[in-house]
Amino acid sequence: MGILQKAAKILFVCVHLMLLSGCWDRTEVNDLALIVGLGIDQKKDGKIMLTVQLVVPKSIGGGGQMGGGGGGGGETIVRSGTGATVADAISNLQEKLSRRVFWGHTKVVVFGERAAKAGIRQHLDFLSRNPQTRLRSNVLVSKGTAKSVLELLPPIEQSSAEVMRELSESQLLLRVTIKDALQMLSGDAGAAALPMVKILPPEKGKKELQTIAFIQRTAIFKKDKMIGDIDDKLTRGVLWLRNEIKLANITVRLKGEKGNITSTLIRAHTEFIPKYGKGKWKMIVKATAEDDILLNGTKLDLLNPKHTKMIEKELENETDKRIRAALKKVQKELKADIFGFAEIFHRKYPREWNRVKNRWEEIFPTVEVVVKTKVYVRRPGMNTAPQGLPEQEVKQ
Amino acid sequence: MKTGFILGTLVLVALIFLYEWPRINRTQKKEKIVFIALLSLGTILAIVLILNPDLPGPTQMIDYIYKPLGRMLGK
Amino acid sequence: MIEKGKISATQMGIMMYLTIIATAILLVPAITARQAKQDMWLSPFWASFIGFLTVYIAVQLHQLYPQKNLIEYSEDILGKFLGKAVGLIFLFFYLHVSGIIIREYGEFIVGSFLLHTPLVFVMGTIILVCSFAVRCGLEVIGRLAEMIVPVVIIMILILLILLIPDMEVANMFPIMEKGMMPSLKGAVIPQGWFTEFFLIAFLLPYVADRNKAKKWGMISVVAVMLTLSFVNIAVLFVLGELTAGFIYPAMSAVRYISIAGFLEHIEAIVAALWVAGVFLKIAVFYYALVLGTAQWLNLSDYRPIIFPVGFLLLLFSIWSASNLMELTHFLGSSSPFYRISIQMGIPLILLFIAKWRKRASNSNQGKYQG
């Protein structure tokens, strides 16, 4: 008995020693290729080309301070692989990498224009199915190929992926994460909008790749296929209609006055009031903004409430114009419900909406949209009267 | 491969036996019988499952009994 | 009595709370969302009725047979043969359900974190750990629960608070678009989890302050209901209509957390919660199973059969489903009815028969006296 017990104890300890060696899925950091940016392109033959931007962890070792000149050896490198699907392309890509790809740090996902036009659903499915990728990665579309965008070596940030993430997060224009994209695509509206990047032409004397890609347009998707894009001006209008506007400077000219007045947005809110009656869908969009004056090029004294009222009026008109321009392009021409009107109607009139659910695409362009804008100018900035102007010329 | 699994199972069973057997009191006859019975039941089941992994399990049986009710929920 | 330890009613309530929510919190939101859509936060309220009923039945049965647990009094109620048969059904049920719980645990860990680790290994280690806890007896499990639960509750609260910036309240509307039916249908599956409260039938005989047992059982049901409802609301607000498409929506929602660009990638907390919670859950089920088996066989000690039963549990967890799809399908279709019929149906019948017997014997006694 005693020996048996001892033998059992020793065996027990041995088994535990096996467990102590760590978990099965142990991976050392220096066996991983950390991916920060992911680009998906479609080639002419329909194959998917996957481009990844990897971090080169050489600065960790101390030593050579940034390769400087020689061939633009930055802190990231770019590799590509091809295959029938994204997942297929990964295995092709893996062949060209000495380390195992790790998706946990992917910050941005860029779709090439052609891939976007062919449909992005299957790619997004991969990105949400894979346990390593994160739903919070920013999604963008690039003018031209995604590869050309990821290859850039930006002067300030560490990588072009980081540039795009920062630009997305600034929310100057659209910001969309994988989760948002999936929600838009699976929502009632059946349309989506993604920010679109364009390569900034490099400064004179700089190398061709030493530049960044910046968000300049918005790509419009119907179902999961890109059907068109709109420029930054219209995008601002779209942001108003999505209640996502965060930053905007609006410049107006007052009647009978020389010079411009620019105001900056402090707070904005858009309210949507859906109406339905006699088979007619109507949406009242109430946009409210609080502004500060940023620049006064006129001779008006801004402390005069009468002048403030005039400016508010003019700002309202300008905002209204922006919203209407966006509506005209997106609702009437592209016919894609990227504002999420479908959800709003669905929430207010579930029964009526369910009846027209399948015909929403036809109905959306006919929805009557009433835009009501209200702007409050709260503060004139740090100055009252126009600066640098003799007192007698200031209009009280 | 399969022999490896069976061997592993047997080692595991042996470990359980070696650990537990000395702890059961001599007087606890019934406990000893139950212990052996359960352990051999497990061993047999393990070997059957290793040799025939697709054997329909308890879940399938329950599923079969409750299917009409489950269908109410299914789409 | 085999078990000599005593637990307090509070410990029992805490233990049951964690036992129910441990798996419910991760799996239930998606399964509920499939039926209830944006009304998924209502479903736990409907489902909790079953929980109250189950606790009530267990307590009533306990009051009729204060010193005994289910395996013992079913013999008293139904007679030797039928009683043993009911006991066997329960033992098989707990063996099977524990196997499924262990499988759920294994699938989660392997599917989200340790992709290449063999499932058997992940499940085997948790069973080993649980078997040590069970060996130490009920008192230790009770104290473990007291230790783990506050941490779990605080963690859940922190996660919910961190999710607030990403919440979109509009996802909740229109409330009850298609009437009550979707949310009621969505409640069927959480009901399966609420019936697990019948486990207290195994714990009640060892509760020291019996008069408080019912109160704490009910408090526990309320706590589970609120927790599930809050988690469902949070997940719904963050993921909206995508919820049904995920296997572990709560996990996916937590992965989405990003506060100021540095407080992110905190899903490891969910994993820690899950491991701690499931550990206790398996331990409680395992304990009930081992104790029940020992009583069913009239053994004087349950400790010798812990490891053999653990081995069987491992086999059942492998045997119970061939893949995750099959497992989720089972959880979403027949499993609630299976669990309700055994954990509530049978006890309800037992209670009726027991009451009827008592009345009959009372009136008989009355006759003799008269």
Side-chain angles (χ1 to χ4, degrees):
Chain A
M1 275 299 198
I3 296 169
L4 267 182
Q5 216 163 354
K6 253 181 207 162
K9 267 182 191 162
I10 290 169
L11 263 171
F12 200 70
V13 170
C14 289
V15 170
H16 277 98
L17 276 181
M18 255 157 65
L19 300 181
L20 281 177
S21 64
C23 45
W24 224 279
D25 286 73
R26 157 203 70 89
T27 10
E28 307 296 334
V29 182
N30 52 16
D31 287 334
L32 289 178
L34 299 181
I35 292 173
V36 287
L38 174 67
I40 298 169
D41 284 310
Q42 188 147 23
K43 288 180 150 182
K44 283 206 181 90
D45 56 359
K47 279 204 169 168
I48 303 294
M49 183 171 76
L50 185 78
T51 311
V52 293
Q53 191 173 55
L54 313 161
V55 180
V56 181
K58 68 177 164 202
S59 48
I60 298 167
Q65 287 245 332
M66 291 283 296
E75 288 159 12
T76 56
I77 56 161
V78 167
R79 292 275 163 92
S80 302
T82 49
T85 65
V86 179
D88 197 22
I90 291 172
S91 48
N92 183 271
L93 173 76
Q94 186 70 71
E95 290 169 10
K96 301 170 193 163
L97 285 170
S98 54
R99 300 180 171 193
R100 216 164 83 196
V101 289
F102 180 72
W103 302 96
H105 292 276
T106 310
K107 288 169 185 156
V108 292
V109 179
V110 186
F111 290 105
E113 213 175 338
R114 193 195 295 270
K117 279 178 178 152
I120 57 170
R121 200 202 61 78
Q122 57 158 338
H123 310 314
L124 288 174
D125 179 88
F126 164 75
L127 292 168
S128 74
R129 202 173 286 279
N130 187 327
Q132 282 181 357
T133 50
R134 275 159 206 286
L135 291 175
R136 212 184 182 94
S137 312
N138 292 99
V139 188
L140 306 115
V141 177
S142 72
K143 197 119 188 130
T145 62
K147 189 175 178 179
S148 65
V149 172
L150 286 174
E151 270 173 344
L152 301 174
L153 299 166
I156 303 179
E157 304 291 346
Q158 286 189 340
S159 66
S160 51
E162 179 63 18
V163 171
M164 283 184 274
R165 192 189 71 85
E166 291 282 351
L167 287 174
S168 291
E169 293 297 327
S170 73
Q171 301 195 14
L172 199 61
L173 292 180
L174 217 54
R175 183 196 68 156
V176 177
T177 64
I178 293 180
K179 185 207 85 171
D180 298 334
L182 284 170
Q183 270 177 337
M184 281 191 266
L185 290 176
S186 62
D188 296 324
L194 298 184
M196 195 169 192
V197 291
K198 198 182 134 184
I199 297 173
L200 186 75
E203 290 166 53
K204 253 186 205 162
K206 286 273 173 71
K207 291 208 181 60
E208 201 188 333
L209 287 178
Q210 283 181 329
T211 180
I212 61 161
F214 68 108
I215 300 174
Q216 191 236 3
R217 307 176 75 82
T218 297
I220 310 286
F221 285 74
K222 222 174 196 175
K223 294 290 168 217
D224 67 328
K225 292 187 174 60
M226 180 176 152
I227 53 161
D229 56 301
I230 53 176
D231 65 8
D232 47 354
K233 261 218 165 115
L234 288 172
T235 304
R236 296 233 166 77
V238 169
L239 288 178
W240 276 105
L241 284 161
R242 288 167 63 95
N243 191 17
E244 281 176 16
I245 194 130
K246 291 272 146 51
L247 288 168
N249 290 344
I250 305 176
T251 303
V252 290
R253 215 169 234 285
L254 295 184
K255 250 176 237 157
E257 287 296 330
K258 268 191 189 161
N260 296 320
I261 288 184
T262 303
S263 76
T264 184
L265 191 76
I266 302 295
R267 214 167 282 119
H269 178 73
T270 317
E271 198 186 343
F272 301 93
I273 304 161
K275 286 258 152 56
Y276 176 78
K278 295 178 196 140
K280 282 220 158 144
W281 299 91
K282 190 172 157 189
M283 181 67 84
I284 299 168
V285 178
K286 268 191 183 166
T288 323
E290 284 179 45
D291 283 21
D292 277 10
I293 301 293
L294 209 57
L295 176 147
N296 180 12
T298 64
K299 292 178 177 173
L300 297 174
D301 182 355
L302 293 180
L303 277 191
N304 188 339
K306 219 167 70 191
H307 294 157
T308 315
K309 279 270 163 325
M310 273 163 64
I311 297 168
E312 283 179 350
K313 191 98 215 144
E314 214 42 58
L315 285 171
E316 278 165 18
N317 283 341
E318 185 60 30
T319 314
D320 193 77
K321 232 189 278 169
R322 284 188 180 186
I323 296 176
R324 277 181 203 288
L327 269 176
K328 190 171 161 243
K329 175 81 182 172
V330 177
Q331 189 196 12
K332 303 287 181 199
E333 287 176 32
L334 295 170
K335 300 186 171 131
D337 181 10
I338 57 171
F339 316 124
F341 282 3
E343 268 95 4
I344 297 166
F345 282 124
H346 184 183
R347 275 165 200 153
K348 182 82 185 281
Y349 301 102
R351 221 163 290 141
E352 293 84 349
W353 195 85
N354 274 326
R355 249 182 276 140
V356 300
K357 189 160 66 176
N358 300 325
R359 295 189 291 122
W360 180 244
E361 235 174 296
E362 302 157 34
I363 290 171
F364 174 66
T366 68
V367 173
E368 190 194 343
V369 184
V370 180
V371 183
K372 287 182 184 164
T373 48
K374 186 81 200 139
V375 177
Y376 300 97
V377 174
R378 296 290 189 207
R379 276 159 225 97
M382 300 289 274
N383 300 115
T384 55
Q387 283 296 330
L389 203 65
E391 211 185 314
Q392 57 272 29
E393 283 186 42
V394 174
K395 287 191 186 169
Q396 288 299 330
Chain B
M1 200 61 188
K2 276 184 179 171
T3 31
F5 278 133
I6 293 175
L7 275 178
T9 314
L10 291 178
V11 169
L12 189 66
V13 171
L15 272 179
I16 295 175
F17 183 82
L18 286 178
Y19 181 80
E20 199 64 65
W21 189 253
R23 277 155 209 267
I24 307 174
N25 278 339
R26 258 160 228 260
T27 49
Q28 293 174 304
K29 217 166 196 159
K30 204 169 177 190
E31 279 71 17
K32 283 190 175 175
I33 296 169
V34 171
F35 175 73
I36 296 285
L38 280 174
L39 206 54
S40 33
L41 184 71
T43 318
I44 293 166
L45 186 58
I47 292 172
V48 168
L49 280 179
I50 289 169
L51 294 177
N52 186 6
D54 295 325
L55 195 73
T59 309
Q60 275 94 330
M61 187 182 95
I62 301 298
D63 217 22
Y64 182 77
I65 300 173
Y66 287 89
K67 212 163 224 165
L69 283 168
R71 217 170 277 149
M72 275 171 23
L73 276 178
K75 291 197 243 187
Chain C
M1 240 194 280
I2 300 180
E3 173 65 56
K4 286 169 194 76
K6 286 272 175 202
I7 55 171
S8 70
T10 327
Q11 278 174 329
M12 183 197 79
I14 295 179
M15 217 150 107
M16 288 319 295
Y17 170 76
L18 196 57
T19 301
I20 310 297
I21 65 156
T23 48
I25 221 169
L26 272 180
L27 287 164
V28 167
I31 303 177
T32 315
R34 229 163 279 156
Q35 307 285 346
K37 299 272 182 305
Q38 68 271 29
D39 292 336
M40 61 192 269
W41 56 280
L42 275 171
S43 298
F45 288 103
W46 309 140
S48 67
F49 288 120
I50 294 271
F52 291 121
L53 195 60
T54 311
V55 172
Y56 178 77
I57 294 171
V59 171
Q60 286 293 315
L61 278 170
H62 171 67
Q63 277 165 356
L64 292 176
Y65 301 93
Q67 296 301 324
K68 295 180 173 175
N69 70 18
L70 178 93
I71 302 289
E72 294 163 317
Y73 58 60
S74 63
E75 273 178 56
D76 287 4
I77 296 172
L78 295 172
K80 184 111 183 149
F81 180 74
L82 272 178
K84 285 275 182 208
V86 167
L88 191 63
I89 290 176
F90 265 92
L91 292 181
F92 173 79
F93 173 79
Y94 281 123
L95 188 62
H96 184 204
V97 168
S98 311
I100 287 178
I101 294 163
I102 295 164
R103 182 61 179 260
E104 285 164 9
Y105 163 81
E107 289 289 348
F108 173 73
I109 295 292
V110 170
S112 324
F113 296 100
L114 309 174
L115 298 178
H116 301 283
T117 310
L119 194 59
V120 181
F121 210 78
V122 173
M123 299 192 300
T125 40
I126 194 95
I127 294 175
L128 187 66
V129 178
C130 290
S131 64
F132 293 144
V134 173
R135 193 171 258 279
C136 295
L138 189 59
E139 269 183 36
V140 170
I141 301 178
R143 264 177 268 148
L144 265 175
E146 261 183 324
M147 250 167 62
I148 298 174
V149 165
V151 181
V152 167
I153 293 177
I154 290 169
M155 292 283 201
I156 292 176
L157 280 179
I158 290 177
L159 291 177
L160 288 182
I161 290 168
L162 288 180
L163 274 172
I164 288 174
D166 294 311
M167 287 188 183
E168 183 68 60
V169 181
N171 285 336
M172 198 164 128
F173 299 101
I175 295 172
M176 293 208 234
E177 179 187 5
K178 296 192 175 98
M180 302 273 272
M181 253 344 254
S183 62
L184 281 175
K185 264 188 164 181
V188 173
I189 290 142
Q191 273 173 6
W193 265 269
F194 276 103
T195 57
E196 283 173 6
F197 268 106
F198 193 67
L199 273 173
I200 63 170
F202 287 89
L203 309 178
L204 281 172
Y206 315 115
V207 172
D209 39 355
R210 294 217 176 134
N211 43 346
K212 284 192 196 149
K214 189 173 174 184
K215 189 180 107 194
W216 275 100
M218 296 299 180
I219 290 175
S220 189
V221 178
V222 173
V224 169
M225 174 186 86
L226 290 178
T227 312
L228 277 185
S229 203
F230 273 124
V231 169
N232 277 0
I233 285 188
V235 168
L236 176 68
F237 281 0
V238 174
L239 297 174
E241 48 219 318
L242 296 180
T243 311
F246 291 101
I247 290 181
Y248 311 112
M251 174 79 178
S252 297
V254 169
R255 284 171 65 93
Y256 198 69
I257 291 177
S258 167
I259 305 289
F262 70 90
L263 190 57
E264 47 190 14
H265 302 204
I266 51 176
E267 69 264 20
I269 294 182
V270 182
L273 277 182
W274 171 260
V275 174
V278 168
F279 161 66
L280 196 81
K281 176 164 193 155
I282 297 172
V284 172
F285 271 85
Y286 196 170
Y287 174 78
L289 176 62
V290 169
L291 186 74
T293 313
Q295 283 167 338
W296 195 71
L297 294 166
N298 293 328
L299 301 185
S300 58
D301 190 5
Y302 65 85
R303 253 161 271 161
I305 58 169
I306 289 177
F307 280 123
V309 169
F311 188 50
L312 277 178
L313 278 178
L314 181 62
L315 293 173
F316 262 74
S317 63
I318 299 164
W319 201 17
S320 56
S322 54
N323 52 35
L324 182 58
M325 287 76 104
E326 207 181 297
L327 186 68
T328 339
H329 175 78
F330 176 68
L331 288 175
S333 61
S334 11
S335 114
F337 301 103
Y338 174 43
R339 295 204 240 181
I340 291 169
S341 63
I342 294 195
Q343 293 189 105
M344 212 190 83
I346 294 180
L348 197 62
I349 296 168
L350 282 179
L351 181 63
F352 278 133
I353 297 176
K355 287 255 176 195
W356 176 72
R357 282 207 159 187
K358 281 260 151 137
R359 192 171 298 162
S361 65
N362 278 352
S363 58
N364 275 350
Q365 273 174 359
K367 262 177 209 164
Y368 288 131
Q369 279 168 358

